[in-house]
Amino acid sequence: MFYIDGTTGRHLEQMTSVGPRPVGSQENEVLTVSYLLEQIENIRVETSAGPHQLTVDVQRPTGSFSIDFLGGFTSFYDRVTNIAVRLEPKGGTQHLMLANCHFDTVANSPGASDDAVSCAVMLEVLHSLANLSTPLNHGVIFLFNGAEENILQASHGFITQHAWAKQVRAFINLEAAGVGGKEVVFQTGPENPWLVQAYVHAAKHPFASVVGQEVFQSGIIPSDTDFRIYRDFGNIPGIDLAFIENGFIYHTKYDTADRILTDSIQRAGDNILAVLKHLVMSEKLADSSEYRHGNMVFFDLLGVMVVAYPARVGTILNYVVAAATFLYLAKKASLPGNGGGRYVRDLAFATGVAVLSWFVTLLSVLIVALLVTLLGRSMFWYNHFYASICLYGTAATGKMILVHTLAKNLYYGGVRLVELGDLYFDVSLLLWCCSLVWLSQQGLCSAYVPMLMVAFPLATRLLLANEFKHRGASVKYSILYLLGLALPYVHFMFLIWVVFEIFTPIMGRSGTEIPPEVVLASLVTLTTIFLSSFFLHFIYLVRSTKWILAGLGSVFLIMFLLVSSGVFFPYSGNPDSPRPKRVFLQHTTRTFHNLQGEVESQDSGLWINSFDYTGIQHVTPHIPEINDSVRTRCREDRPFCGYPWFLPVKFLSKKNWYLPASEVSPSSPVEFQLVSKEETSWGTIKMTFSAKGPSHMSLYLMPHHGASLSTWSFGDGTPQFDLSGEYFVFYSHGLDAPVWTFWFEIQYLINSEKQKGMISVALSSHYFFGADQRTAQLEEIIGRFPKWAFPSSWVSTYDMYRY
């Protein structure tokens, strides 16, 4: 049993007490590493007389790989840190489980939830397993990973280079996309259904969703985890867990230890210990390839239990339910009185009315969202989520009821209400059934959702057929009908809660180009459409909807006036429930060289990125000099617009501001030079460079017209992920890294262009910690930001050369 006795909390407090832990910092590479090693050694000494042996290895790997995250880029890492702890029966073992957490953080965040709490839990799980009196059947590697925030570098170093990696048969990855709450299983596999079954069997407090897996793996969420590295580079199956609640403060200064409740730690510890213990005792781990084939449908019922079954069983079940539905509809079409296909015509027309109501509703709500955006009130719901339901939810519900009321009054004037109710129930059944068939044909396990939304309403209606026929929308019928729909609807609403829990905070860090009103209004409208589907027929059963429409219209009008007047401010600096606005500030000096190597131009300034749609409209009243008069545009002739992008996200944040400032002078300036330039026998130009600088640098390569990169020293040697003619290479190092040396070859296509240069090369440096992170001007302007803003700041440089 996993017990919270204060030790786990102490681990969490100790790791976060040193502050932010970016890769390369003393806090990450020395202080945290020393603390972890000390605790691991205490466990080793305490359990040395038991049936297990514990081996510790500190790995400092160097490597390179390409990844298609954020449009695609290449990563190079040098001497980053991994602490690998191997727990196994005395005498050794051939097969290993891997448990992974990371202790590094982004700049300016203490990273309690992301991911110190997972490492604290892993220490206690290690302690519990090491103290077992019964030997484990297999071993476990506890990997305390020191470079995950640098886009998954340390996990790549472990799985591709460590001697123990070849013995790993499966893994559990512990992550966070929020602060506290339940940890959800949102990825499994690939394939290997036995892993899902192990979680279902062992987890004390299950929380899992195959819908989350398929949404996350679609790429719609701009995030990734070490799961990808172990899957793609290690060909190892695993389970990915993450805290998802309160993502508003993820990667901010508010991600502190005191915000993570003991219940969250206890629940996570119970689950991880139980699942790990089950897996290392399992015979399936020794030969997991035998159980590899096939996927699983899995979902939990309000966190009480998990339902899981093979995807092939799910496909059969889906088609059986679909067949039963079409049989039910066909039987109704063949009844006496439906001659000449009258029922089919009526069903087709009613289906058209329902689909039309969807489009009219979505269009109407999007128009409202556009008006809100044009009025400058975007993201009003960020700190007042209920307001979005009152505005967009009432608009969607009211519009749907209005369309169907008009259809009832204008077209169905002489039709009995009970017959109309029956018809529109069939419409909902048909539409859900069509989505069930389509998702099943796509091979998506998420098809279980429409399966539930077809099976239960169909069964309920068949059981209540006589009640409906004789009494229509009676109270008894309504109560029994609601009871019959309870299970699929409760589960569906739970999924909807998870969607809003994840996507609402994401809108606060998705850049300036994605209009959040469109996203949220669409989500609310789709939710309304889905939830109302099996209640549409009530519109045709009741005699009048005017009071319902009047009520919805009044709520909508009041909310629209309140939103338009600016009553709902998007952000909050309340320490109990912060909703910070994220702003990135870099005090940077930019230097541009011409073909002759001479300085063509140089400037310095505060480069400001807003990472949400509202830009700086709410900041300008507090800091008037940050306004659209200092708005900057992208220079297409310069690599990545001529600005020091830390990651290749310029497509997400095209609105930037550049406030003139004094030159920066870091104590360890970048040393960058062309080491050699030679023509190869196969007709390319090979250029070799060296660079030495801070722990984080970005290299941008932009071949000129008529030239292309043919090969380079990164990854597998093939230049990958051309981002509109540019290449992005992310570099980081731990402590005491040597000079970074790299090369690439350029292939000419048009010789006449040589005099204009072959390629533009730019190198940006990022000082995320220490004395070089701050300047007087940065400190001054940060102090003027309102308390509801989170300005993440550092010093950077940008140097461009043409060759």
Side-chain angles (χ1 to χ4, degrees):
M1 183 68 178
F2 183 92
Y3 292 105
I4 295 295
D5 59 1
T7 307
T8 309
R10 178 171 56 81
H11 293 326
L12 180 58
E13 289 285 353
Q14 286 292 324
M15 281 188 280
T16 56
S17 65
V18 300
R21 303 175 296 284
V23 170
S25 67
Q26 190 81 1
E27 290 80 4
N28 192 67
E29 311 297 335
V30 177
L31 298 180
T32 306
V33 169
S34 297
Y35 178 76
L36 289 170
L37 290 175
E38 178 187 350
Q39 300 308 309
I40 294 163
E41 176 61 17
N42 290 342
I43 296 171
R44 190 192 67 78
V45 171
E46 178 186 335
T47 60
S48 59
H52 301 107
Q53 62 186 28
L54 193 150
T55 311
V56 183
D57 182 55
V58 179
Q59 182 198 23
R60 311 266 186 193
T62 296
S64 178
F65 62 96
S66 297
I67 189 169
D68 62 358
F69 179 54
L70 296 175
F73 63 95
T74 297
S75 184
F76 183 95
Y77 55 90
D78 199 352
R79 291 181 55 78
V80 297
T81 303
N82 278 321
I83 301 174
V85 184
R86 179 170 176 152
L87 177 70
E88 60 189 335
K90 285 181 176 175
T93 184
Q94 291 183 324
H95 310 291
L96 301 170
M97 269 296 298
L98 172 67
N100 179 81
C101 71
H102 71 89
F103 56 85
D104 67 310
T105 69
V106 295
N108 302 302
S109 174
S113 185
D114 186 25
D115 192 30
V117 67
S118 296
C119 291
V121 168
M122 265 181 40
L123 280 173
E124 282 304 294
V125 171
L126 168 61
H127 182 264
S128 297
L129 288 178
N131 273 293
L132 289 177
S133 57
T134 304
L136 302 173
N137 287 348
H138 309 292
V140 190
I141 296 174
F142 292 85
L143 183 65
F144 299 88
N145 162 340
E148 189 273 347
E149 296 296 357
N150 282 10
I151 317 302
L152 322 177
Q153 291 179 333
S155 56
H156 182 270
F158 175 80
I159 208 64
T160 60
Q161 299 175 44
H162 201 284
W164 297 344
K166 293 180 181 178
Q167 294 177 264
V168 174
R169 304 291 178 255
F171 69 89
I172 293 178
N173 183 50
L174 313 179
E175 256 296 350
V179 178
K182 296 180 178 180
E183 78 291 346
V184 61
V185 173
F186 66 100
Q187 288 192 97
T188 64
E191 298 187 320
N192 289 274
W194 64 278
L195 276 173
V196 177
Q197 291 167 341
Y199 177 84
V200 171
H201 177 80
K204 305 295 185 184
H205 316 283
F207 185 27
S209 172
V210 74
V211 175
Q213 172 174 295
E214 292 181 341
V215 169
F216 189 83
Q217 293 181 351
S218 72
I220 195 172
I221 298 176
S223 183
D224 222 326
T225 74
D226 287 318
F227 181 97
R228 162 183 283 218
I229 298 296
Y230 299 131
R231 179 194 66 193
D232 294 353
F233 292 93
N235 195 29
I236 301 169
I239 300 174
D240 213 1
L241 301 100
F243 295 105
I244 62 168
E245 292 186 20
N246 200 7
F248 299 98
I249 58 180
Y250 164 80
H251 279 191
T252 72
K253 65 181 180 182
Y254 298 106
D255 185 8
T256 53
D258 60 296
R259 295 182 188 277
I260 302 176
L261 300 179
T262 300
D263 287 348
S264 294
I265 301 173
Q266 180 70 60
R267 185 166 42 238
D270 284 344
N271 284 340
I272 294 158
L273 176 60
V275 174
L276 264 181
K277 187 176 177 181
H278 177 84
L279 287 168
V280 294
M281 292 295 191
S282 170
E283 294 180 359
K284 293 181 179 179
L285 187 68
D287 189 14
S288 60
S289 60
E290 184 179 338
Y291 311 96
R292 181 178 185 88
H293 302 291
N295 289 312
M296 290 287 285
V297 178
F298 59 92
F299 56 94
D300 72 280
L301 298 176
L302 300 180
V304 176
M305 62 177 290
V306 172
V307 177
Y309 48 87
R312 62 181 180 276
V313 173
T315 301
I316 295 170
L317 182 60
N318 294 344
Y319 284 121
V320 167
V321 170
T325 303
F326 288 124
L327 184 64
Y328 161 80
L329 295 175
K331 184 177 180 181
K332 293 191 72 170
S334 64
L335 290 174
N338 288 322
R342 185 176 70 84
Y343 173 77
V344 175
R345 289 195 303 273
D346 288 347
L347 184 65
F349 179 81
T351 301
V353 171
V355 174
L356 177 65
S357 74
W358 294 354
F359 283 107
V360 171
T361 298
L362 184 59
L363 181 62
S364 301
V365 177
L366 289 180
I367 289 173
V368 175
L370 179 62
L371 288 173
V372 170
T373 302
L374 292 175
L375 289 169
R377 304 304 181 191
S378 187
M379 292 186 65
F380 67 92
W381 37 264
Y382 195 66
N383 189 36
H384 307 276
F385 182 74
Y386 66 89
S388 67
I389 303 301
C390 292
L391 182 68
Y392 299 131
T394 55
T397 305
K399 181 60 70 172
M400 287 191 66
I401 293 175
L402 178 62
V403 170
H404 286 283
T405 299
L406 290 174
K408 181 175 74 171
N409 294 338
L410 299 178
Y411 184 77
Y412 293 116
V415 184
R416 289 178 63 234
L417 298 181
V418 171
E419 291 179 10
L420 281 178
D422 199 29
L423 179 65
Y424 274 88
F425 174 86
D426 294 348
V427 167
S428 298
L429 204 62
L430 175 64
L431 291 170
W432 273 109
C433 193
C434 289
S435 69
L436 168 62
V437 172
W438 184 79
L439 288 174
S440 298
Q441 287 181 335
Q442 299 300 310
L444 295 174
C445 294
S446 301
Y448 85 86
V449 176
M451 185 274 292
L452 294 177
M453 295 296 285
V454 171
F456 279 84
L458 177 59
T460 300
R461 189 50 177 276
L462 292 174
L463 292 171
L464 297 178
N466 290 331
E467 183 70 31
F468 176 80
K469 184 176 181 180
H470 292 108
R471 300 192 182 183
S474 67
V475 174
K476 181 180 178 182
Y477 167 79
S478 300
I479 292 173
L480 293 174
Y481 185 74
L482 290 173
L483 288 174
L485 295 185
L487 182 89
Y489 263 78
V490 167
H491 176 66
F492 193 54
M493 286 189 286
F494 182 64
L495 285 179
I496 290 168
W497 169 81
V498 172
V499 167
F500 283 111
E501 187 73 31
I502 293 172
F503 277 95
T504 306
I506 283 177
M507 288 296 99
R509 56 180 189 268
S510 294
T512 60
E513 304 310 301
I514 300 175
E517 295 308 308
V518 171
V519 175
L520 195 81
S522 298
L523 287 175
V524 172
T525 303
L526 291 174
T527 297
T528 304
I529 289 171
F530 292 151
L531 291 179
S532 66
S533 55
F534 284 107
F535 295 95
L536 276 181
H537 69 292
F538 280 101
I539 299 173
Y540 295 89
L541 291 174
V542 298
R543 297 195 178 279
S544 175
T545 60
K546 63 180 181 180
W547 291 111
I548 298 173
L549 288 172
L552 291 170
S554 299
V555 173
F556 168 77
L557 185 60
I558 292 169
M559 286 306 301
F560 186 77
L561 292 174
L562 291 174
V563 169
S564 302
S565 62
V567 169
F568 301 107
F569 190 68
Y571 312 105
S572 170
N574 181 354
D576 296 327
S577 182
R579 298 289 186 272
K581 175 181 176 58
R582 298 163 190 259
V583 182
F584 287 179
L585 291 93
Q586 298 182 46
H587 189 173
T588 188
T589 292
R590 307 186 302 162
T591 307
F592 304 93
H593 299 80
N594 59 23
L595 273 173
Q596 290 72 42
E598 301 164 340
V599 175
E600 190 175 68
S601 64
Q602 186 179 56
D603 61 53
S604 299
L606 298 175
W607 184 44
I608 303 165
N609 305 117
S610 169
F611 267 78
D612 69 39
Y613 191 79
T614 65
I616 44 82
Q617 72 177 83
H618 299 296
V619 175
T620 297
H622 299 267
I623 313 175
E625 56 266 42
I626 305 178
N627 54 56
D628 282 338
S629 69
V630 294
R631 173 98 171 264
T632 184
R633 297 288 186 270
C634 179
R635 286 284 302 268
E636 299 292 347
D637 60 327
R638 295 173 175 175
F640 279 81
C641 302
Y643 283 99
W645 289 99
F646 173 60
L647 287 171
V649 292
K650 67 174 185 176
F651 66 97
L652 285 176
S653 189
K654 294 182 179 180
K655 301 180 183 70
N656 303 285
W657 292 263
Y658 193 62
L659 194 62
S662 60
E663 184 177 352
V664 300
S665 53
S667 59
S668 302
V670 171
E671 300 171 16
F672 181 70
Q673 63 176 333
L674 174 63
V675 176
S676 66
K677 178 181 176 183
E678 56 184 331
E679 188 165 351
T680 67
S681 58
W682 46 88
T684 64
I685 303 294
K686 181 176 181 180
M687 305 181 71
T688 303
F689 296 84
S690 69
K692 188 168 180 61
S695 62
H696 294 76
M697 295 189 286
S698 301
L699 174 70
Y700 322 118
L701 304 176
M702 186 172 74
H704 295 177
H705 178 67
S708 64
L709 290 182
S710 59
T711 186
W712 60 8
S713 58
F714 305 117
D716 63 1
T718 303
Q720 294 188 50
F721 306 120
D722 174 350
L723 302 170
S724 303
E726 300 173 302
Y727 297 87
F728 189 102
V729 180
F730 180 94
Y731 168 87
S732 77
H733 70 70
L735 292 177
D736 306 320
V739 173
W740 180 30
T741 302
F742 60 90
W743 57 265
F744 53 77
E745 293 183 18
I746 304 174
Q747 178 76 52
Y748 273 109
L749 301 177
I750 304 174
N751 291 329
S752 61
E753 298 288 338
K754 286 186 178 180
Q755 66 273 16
K756 296 182 180 179
M758 302 177 293
I759 189 170
S760 292
V761 178
L763 185 74
S764 69
S765 64
H766 301 271
Y767 296 86
F768 282 141
F769 51 85
D772 287 337
Q773 183 188 3
R774 293 281 183 261
T775 65
Q777 282 181 283
L778 262 182
E779 295 285 1
E780 190 274 335
I781 201 164
I782 289 171
R784 295 165 59 194
F785 270 85
K787 66 178 183 178
W788 43 260
F790 172 61
S792 184
S793 61
W794 64 93
V795 167
S796 64
T797 64
Y798 179 102
D799 294 279
M800 189 201 79
Y801 303 84
R802 297 192 190 277
Y803 301 99

